[in-house]
Amino acid sequence: MKFYTLSFLAVALATTAPVAAHAAEGSEASESELTESQEPIIVEGRRPEYGAKSTSTATKTRTEIKDVPQALSVVSEQQIEDQQLRSVSELLYFVPGATPSPGEGHRDQIVLRGNNSTADFFVDGIRDDAQYFRDLYNVDRVEVLKGPNAMIFGRGGGGGVVNRVLKRSSLGAYREVLGSVDAFGGVRFTGDFDQPLGAGVGARLNAMYENGDSFRRYVDLNRYGLNPTVALLAGPDTRIDLSYEYLRDRRTVDRGVPAFNDEPLRGFDRTFFGDPERSFSRADVNLGTLSVGHELGAGLTLRNRTILAAYDKYYQNVYPTGLDETTDVVSLGAYSLRSDRANLLNQTELVWESRWGGIDQTLLFGLEFGRQKSRNERRAAAGSTATLAEPTVERPLVFVSTPTDNRTRAGIAAFYMQDQIRLSPMFEIIAGVRFERFRLSVDDLRPAGLDLARTDQMVSPRLGLVAKPRRNLSVYASYSRSYLPQSGDQFATLDLTSKALKPERFDNYEIGAKWEPVPGLLATAAIYQLDRTNTSAPNPDGSGTVVLTGAQRSRGLELGLERSISHRWQVSAGYALQKAEITETTSAAPAGREVPLVPRHAFSLWNRYDVSDKFGLGFGAIARSKSYASVSNKVILPGYARFDAAAYYEIRRGIELQLNVENLLGARYFPTAYNDNNIAPGAPFTAKASLRLAL
């Protein structure tokens, strides 16, 4: 602990040069405005607000959120800091219509509108689909778009996507260091250093180190990340941004507790089932991006973004697969998986702001090309057992190869176009379509010599109508479509059956409204129906073949409230009423089964109120009704309510002390599950203390 303290003080002392107030945080100017200088803005007496007023993610053009015909939740950097959120999973509990999945204890995994995905993650609008835990130390905001929108994002995204908008240089000066500890002995340090280097040149460095423990026995993590960025204004009309991130993550793979009597096993919330010494994950992420934006004049903007990423991932685990309720014997499974990936993706877009026949329009033309190479190797070990009396065991393991041992290559080529037509100040049409060619080839190394390939050509339309009867109110209706190739989220395999099947299809019908009851506060409502079709199912003729007759339907209502009620009161709240079920028998379940991790009712609230210029309080709640642990519908996750609180005190200008308490009343609950016997217990009363130096 002494080493961490000395390191923290050394960094703090090294950053004591006086600087101006830091304003933009790289935030409101997104990739659609690469030529902005982002000069610092001093706003006396105002903190950065929750949410965002506009975004370029949902339309690829600069658009106010209230004019986007799609449900969209934005969690800003300020809210992340106020709640001390450290993962995508923690963040998703405060997004209506979203549920995190444990992801087998080694990756981010999400359920959006009843659709489960390990790959629908993006960074600055470009695919970031590998299996790892993302950190939030370098984000300006996280945008969660609900409903398919392949016109913008390409294949997948059946229930929506999670997009991280990263910080970049504001060309101003700012330095911040944050150190925190928690009640379980974990420590975390982050730094944010933004510095102009000359006229039109700036650099920024975000860094993170965390050594964390858990309320779960034998479970810990160690990770760090570095993200330097450089910005260059090459003249008044051109901006270039270069970014590189390295993230190293080492952690225990914890898959929770098994079920007992059709519900989670109680009384073992802290107990590790399996072998913690042989349950670990190693991830190394190298992600480089180059962004160039140029104003051509006459309303034309040309931009290009390239991402080169390498993901090296290995994990193995010994985990519970079942519990014999009469003998208290716990069956254990074990396997290891190597899943390395290399991505090279490029987007080129031309945006044209024009006026034809007295009608304002914003035209978008885009090209996307990409190559993704993966190496997948799964090895299994013989199963073993434990007992409830001794659930944590040490077992020698011998891993042997399984049929998953391959190399895959995916090629992407897409053209998309969109027109935002403003017929009048009260009415707008957004229409677009994407043509995408996706080719996947798989070289199976076991059995050797089996090489398969499939090419899918997909057309994904989108149509949105927005009416604005008042300046502070918009009402919309929209339709959108997306596709997912039968090789799945991670396209890890392709066999003779899936090679012959066309992609799954997602169609979303949605109506909604966005209202600003007071300046700065945004209330949203959306009603949707999302149909998933072309899902594989056994042929009813008994031939043993597979047909695309399976279907799933999700219906729901989503309500949201975000941003600020006043300059002292920030709020983020949401409610979702939803039902997702199998409507036509699939290979996974018969018709009538409910989709797992979709509670009928889900509510979340977080708000911060600054009592004075120096003292603030925060309060939050999460409440969910029961849901199913898996599509078997045999194990129920009981409903629960959790309450959180926080206090903030500014010791003096630029030095703030913060205390966060999660699960204030010590509720015992099970928020999520991977399957019927990998159920995640919720953390008990948890305290986090942090000290922030903004210099």
Side-chain angles (χ1 to χ4, degrees):
M1 188 67 184
K2 182 183 293 185
F3 169 76
Y4 300 135
T5 304
L6 292 175
S7 299
F8 178 56
L9 291 174
V11 174
L13 290 172
T15 57
T16 54
V19 294
H22 183 63
E25 292 288 329
S27 57
E28 285 300 316
S30 59
E31 291 304 320
S32 66
E33 295 182 334
L34 288 167
T35 59
E36 284 195 356
S37 62
Q38 293 184 292
E39 290 294 334
I41 303 171
I42 299 175
V43 184
E44 295 294 342
R46 294 291 298 272
R47 300 173 59 256
E49 295 183 346
Y50 290 1
K53 186 175 179 60
S54 60
T55 179
S56 66
T57 303
T59 60
K60 295 281 189 180
T61 63
R62 190 71 165 172
T63 305
E64 286 197 36
I65 289 177
K66 66 182 180 64
D67 296 333
V68 173
Q70 181 178 7
L72 166 65
S73 297
V74 179
V75 181
S76 68
E77 178 197 8
Q78 190 60 55
Q79 183 181 343
I80 290 170
E81 289 187 353
D82 284 353
Q83 292 188 257
Q84 284 290 288
L85 302 175
R86 298 177 181 176
S87 69
V88 171
S89 292
E90 292 178 331
L91 179 146
L92 287 177
Y93 286 114
F94 295 90
V95 174
T99 302
S101 166
E104 298 179 279
H106 70 91
R107 64 175 177 239
D108 287 326
Q109 190 163 338
I110 53 174
V111 179
L112 292 175
R113 291 188 172 177
N115 290 275
N116 198 312
S117 175
T118 65
D120 292 331
F121 299 94
F122 288 74
V123 55
D124 291 329
I126 298 187
R127 193 173 298 275
D128 175 39
D129 56 2
Q131 300 184 67
Y132 71 103
F133 283 113
R134 294 149 183 86
D135 199 279
L136 306 178
Y137 74 100
N138 59 343
V139 302
D140 173 76
R141 63 183 182 270
V142 178
E143 302 169 330
V144 184
L145 293 91
K146 275 73 71 76
N149 191 351
M151 188 262 129
I152 294 295
F153 298 103
R155 72 178 193 280
V161 304
V162 175
N163 179 60
R164 292 178 298 144
V165 180
L166 302 188
K167 299 176 184 178
R168 57 179 187 152
S169 174
S170 68
L171 302 179
Y174 179 74
R175 296 173 188 137
E176 178 184 275
V177 177
L178 175 67
S180 62
V181 297
D182 62 44
F184 304 115
V187 295
R188 179 179 170 94
F189 301 105
T190 61
D192 185 356
F193 311 99
D194 199 357
Q195 181 64 41
L197 302 179
V201 183
R204 189 169 191 168
L205 173 66
N206 282 276
M208 173 273 300
Y209 172 79
E210 182 174 3
N211 191 326
D213 287 316
S214 170
F215 73 99
R216 302 269 295 159
R217 297 189 184 102
Y218 310 108
V219 176
D220 57 22
L221 71 88
N222 186 286
R223 60 180 169 179
Y224 65 83
L226 295 170
N227 182 200
T229 65
V230 176
L232 170 65
L233 295 184
D237 301 320
T238 304
R239 174 166 175 146
I240 301 171
D241 285 275
L242 182 64
S243 172
Y244 166 73
E245 179 182 11
Y246 175 69
L247 177 67
R248 181 183 187 273
D249 188 291
R250 303 290 186 267
R251 67 179 63 217
T252 307
V253 173
D254 176 20
R255 294 179 63 160
V257 303
F260 183 83
N261 287 337
D262 300 331
E263 67 173 28
L265 178 66
R266 295 183 180 275
F268 291 80
D269 292 5
R270 297 177 182 270
T271 303
F272 192 98
F273 284 81
D275 187 345
E277 291 298 320
R278 290 170 174 80
S279 300
F280 59 86
S281 171
R282 299 192 298 258
D284 293 279
V285 177
N286 291 271
L287 197 154
T289 61
L290 174 64
S291 302
V292 181
H294 180 65
E295 300 285 349
L296 299 171
L300 289 167
T301 301
L302 181 66
R303 57 177 182 251
N304 180 275
R305 185 173 181 83
T306 302
I307 183 169
L308 177 63
Y311 309 90
D312 296 326
K313 174 69 179 295
Y314 177 85
Y315 81 96
Q316 69 178 42
N317 55 165
V318 181
Y319 59 96
T321 60
L323 170 62
D324 188 316
E325 298 174 4
T326 60
T327 64
D328 287 349
V329 172
V330 181
S331 56
L332 301 176
Y335 73 91
S336 67
L337 179 65
R338 171 190 176 188
S339 55
D340 300 338
R341 177 164 299 163
N343 288 353
L344 176 59
L345 305 168
N346 178 271
Q347 291 179 355
T348 301
E349 294 166 345
L350 179 67
V351 179
W352 186 16
E353 299 276 358
S354 62
R355 185 175 178 85
W356 294 351
I359 298 175
D360 290 329
Q361 297 186 71
T362 301
L363 283 162
L364 167 74
F365 301 94
L367 292 171
E368 181 172 351
F369 299 98
R371 299 283 293 177
Q372 297 182 271
K373 294 183 178 181
S374 302
R375 176 71 172 92
N376 307 291
E377 182 181 14
R378 179 178 173 126
R379 294 175 175 267
S384 58
T385 61
T387 65
L388 288 185
E390 295 185 52
T392 306
V393 298
E394 183 176 345
R395 295 284 190 267
L397 298 176
V398 177
F399 290 99
V400 296
S401 296
T402 68
T404 303
D405 188 0
N406 59 40
R407 294 187 178 93
T408 70
R409 296 182 302 278
I412 306 156
F415 168 72
Y416 48 94
M417 54 186 177
Q418 174 185 269
D419 196 2
Q420 294 173 259
I421 307 169
R422 290 171 284 276
L423 298 175
S424 72
M426 296 180 59
F427 193 71
E428 184 172 340
I429 300 173
I430 299 179
V433 64
R434 181 186 185 101
F435 304 90
E436 182 168 2
R437 181 181 185 272
F438 177 75
R439 177 175 174 79
L440 177 67
S441 60
V442 178
D443 299 333
D444 269 319
L445 305 179
R446 190 175 293 103
L450 181 59
D451 298 337
L452 298 173
R454 176 178 171 87
T455 300
D456 291 303
Q457 298 187 26
M458 299 164 283
V459 180
S460 304
R462 176 197 196 185
L463 176 64
L465 308 176
V466 182
K468 293 177 276 191
R470 301 177 63 181
R471 289 188 61 184
N472 63 343
L473 174 65
S474 63
V475 181
Y476 69 87
S478 68
Y479 167 75
S480 58
R481 179 189 298 170
S482 185
Y483 291 97
L484 178 65
Q486 292 290 340
S487 50
D489 268 343
Q490 296 294 334
F491 43 90
T493 186
L494 193 67
D495 56 32
L496 292 173
T497 298
S498 58
K499 177 182 181 296
L501 302 177
K502 61 183 180 181
E504 292 188 80
R505 174 171 158 175
F506 304 80
D507 293 277
N508 189 71
Y509 307 86
E510 184 173 329
I511 59 173
K514 301 181 181 182
W515 177 43
E516 294 181 333
V518 296
L521 182 66
L522 180 67
T524 63
I527 300 174
Y528 69 88
Q529 175 176 300
L530 174 54
D531 291 321
R532 181 174 187 171
T533 55
N534 287 351
T535 300
S536 61
N539 196 322
D541 64 9
S543 64
T545 58
V546 174
V547 291
L548 296 181
T549 58
Q552 172 185 318
R553 171 168 287 178
S554 303
R555 286 176 169 170
L557 163 70
E558 295 170 355
L559 304 176
L561 187 68
E562 60 185 46
R563 305 204 306 227
S564 59
I565 297 175
S566 70
H567 75 280
R568 290 188 180 274
W569 191 355
Q570 312 280 333
V571 65
S572 173
Y575 168 76
L577 170 65
Q578 52 188 342
K579 182 178 182 180
E581 63 179 348
I582 306 297
T583 53
E584 297 183 29
T585 296
T586 71
S587 297
R593 293 265 185 92
E594 292 197 29
V595 176
L597 302 185
V598 182
R600 190 64 52 87
H601 303 277
F603 170 79
S604 66
L605 168 69
W606 178 260
N607 49 189
R608 168 174 172 161
Y609 184 78
D610 289 321
V611 179
S612 67
D613 291 341
K614 290 186 174 295
F615 182 66
L617 294 171
F619 177 77
I622 301 171
R624 298 193 171 215
S625 60
K626 69 178 183 179
S627 62
Y628 290 106
S630 80
V631 77
S632 75
N633 287 186
K634 293 180 179 179
V635 177
I636 293 176
L637 303 180
Y640 68 92
R642 188 190 94 185
F643 299 94
D644 304 335
Y648 315 91
Y649 180 68
E650 186 179 48
I651 299 173
R652 64 181 181 86
R653 184 177 178 85
I655 303 178
E656 184 178 89
L657 186 64
Q658 178 175 331
L659 176 65
N660 290 78
V661 176
E662 295 177 4
N663 200 358
L664 188 64
L665 302 181
R668 293 192 171 184
Y669 64 105
F670 298 88
T672 187
Y674 182 71
N675 57 37
D676 287 346
N677 288 292
N678 295 167
I679 303 171
F685 178 96
T686 304
K688 300 176 184 176
S690 61
L691 179 66
R692 176 180 293 105
L693 306 179
L695 306 167

